[in-house]
Amino acid sequence: MAGKAASSMVKAVGQYPWREKLTKYKDELSKGAWGYWHLGAWKPLGISARRRARLRKEVLMEGEEDWPYDPERKEMKTRRKGHKVDRIAAEKRENTAKLMEKMPEMLLDYKKRRWEKKMKEEEKAKDK
């Protein structure tokens, strides 16, 4: 009795008729992974997600056919983790360091402009 049950169990697990199921649901699977819109209404697939996954697994494990019915994978999100303030602060520190390297030159330019402005004002005062 136990031998019959074990053999029937092996037969049920090992011989899932995936070729027949694939031909039966081929047009249904090509409509989408979860369902499709038809005349403004959402239509679920004729095969459940569990049975679809089992059929996909059987086909891929057999290795004879490819499974073209999966939807295309979307691009991964490139969102950074962490707080925006921290990133901005790091960028500001880098910018400040660059500006500090230019500071002596900037100070000389400023002093030169001030001196030129002072000379122009003195010339105007002499001309009047």
Side-chain angles (χ1 to χ4, degrees), residues 76-92 94:
M76 292 286 288
K77 290 184 179 178
T78 56
R79 184 183 306 164
R80 297 183 198 168
K81 289 198 170 190
H83 297 282
K84 184 178 179 182
V85 174
D86 298 334
R87 286 194 307 273
I88 290 174
E91 291 171 7
K92 283 184 178 180
E94 290 173 13

Side-chain angles (χ1 to χ4, degrees), residues 8-119:
S8 67
M9 187 66 152
V10 168
K11 188 180 258 186
V13 171
Q15 295 182 349
Y16 181 70
W18 63 268
R19 286 190 200 280
E20 298 161 13
K21 297 283 185 183
L22 189 61
T23 55
K24 182 178 177 183
Y25 292 111
K26 196 171 217 102
D27 57 333
E28 194 73 14
L29 290 169
S30 64
K31 292 178 182 173
W34 302 280
Y36 57 97
W37 288 97
H38 180 70
L39 300 175
W42 179 256
K43 299 271 186 176
L45 291 181
I47 184 171
S48 70
R50 182 174 62 87
R51 290 205 171 98
R52 179 187 183 277
R54 184 173 179 192
L55 178 63
R56 179 183 183 273
K57 183 175 113 181
E58 291 288 329
V59 169
L60 292 176
M61 284 180 68
E62 197 69 28
E64 294 177 19
E65 293 188 36
D66 206 18
W67 186 260
Y69 306 112
D70 282 338
E72 291 183 18
R73 295 223 168 201
K74 294 182 181 176
E75 192 172 317
M76 292 286 288
K77 290 184 179 178
T78 56
R79 184 183 306 164
R80 297 183 198 168
K81 289 198 170 190
H83 297 282
K84 184 178 179 182
V85 174
D86 298 334
R87 286 194 307 273
I88 290 174
E91 291 171 7
K92 283 184 178 180
R93 281 194 298 272
E94 290 173 13
N95 191 26
T96 304
K98 289 177 186 174
L99 289 174
M100 289 303 286
E101 291 173 2
K102 297 179 184 176
M103 187 58 90
E105 185 181 315
M106 292 170 70
L107 284 173
L108 288 174
D109 290 341
Y110 171 71
K111 287 179 181 179
K112 184 178 179 182
R113 280 193 313 249
R114 256 184 50 216
W115 183 78
E116 289 173 353
K117 185 178 178 184
K118 183 179 174 185
M119 290 297 136

